[in-house]
Amino acid sequence: MFKKVALATALGTAALATAGQAMAAEYVVDTEGQHAFIQFKINHLGYSYILGNFEEFEGRFYYDADDLEASSVEMEVQVNSLNSNHAERDRHFLSDDFLSASDYPTATFVSTGFEPTGDNEGVLTGELTLKGETREIEMPVTLMGEGEDPWGNYRAGFEGSTMLTLADFGIDMSDFPEVMEELELYVTFEGVRQ
């Protein structure tokens, strides 16, 4: 369940027009330096929360501060990399009861549009595919900053979050309290300009 959401939420591949991408600079998400995270949070029976993340993913985005509407992102997440700090629970999340990771080992996100809403803020729209189901989602995102790093690279960093309804991705939560029907997906990453 978490894996599915995290994957979905994981910000995915860009679906910008070729002309738009040609103008926007390409950035590769810095997973080697561990400067990117795909995390999830779900209510546990109304008493507390379960937190977790996906440890293996890759992605790229296109960004031009002077043409924000040409921005796009694409991500692919390895569902089996789900980690909620409890091995038995993780095995259950990956089972056919929730994410069916053996049948659907990857989750993807491909953006279809970006609408600026203010200084360094906007709403990213895209298609999240999790457990074989593709749904359009919206994620408010914020530019955290951009500039040269100490090693001569140019970086830009973003964060965003959204709520996912698990039933939209074929995850049946009918045996659980209503508060467990949704999951919060949080994504933050730096990209290195190519």
Side-chain angles (χ1 to χ4, degrees), residues 1-2 40-52 84 86 88-90 92-93 98 163 166 173 175-184:
M1 169 165 87
F2 291 119
F40 60 87
K41 174 182 176 182
I42 188 169
N43 196 297
H44 183 247
L45 304 174
Y47 306 133
S48 64
Y49 291 96
I50 296 172
L51 305 176
S84 71
H86 191 281
E88 184 176 348
R89 176 173 59 213
D90 292 349
H92 191 202
F93 286 163
F98 298 107
M163 297 299 294
L166 298 177
M173 298 300 292
D175 291 338
F176 298 93
E178 186 175 346
V179 292
M180 297 185 68
E181 293 178 358
E182 289 188 322
L183 173 147
E184 180 182 1

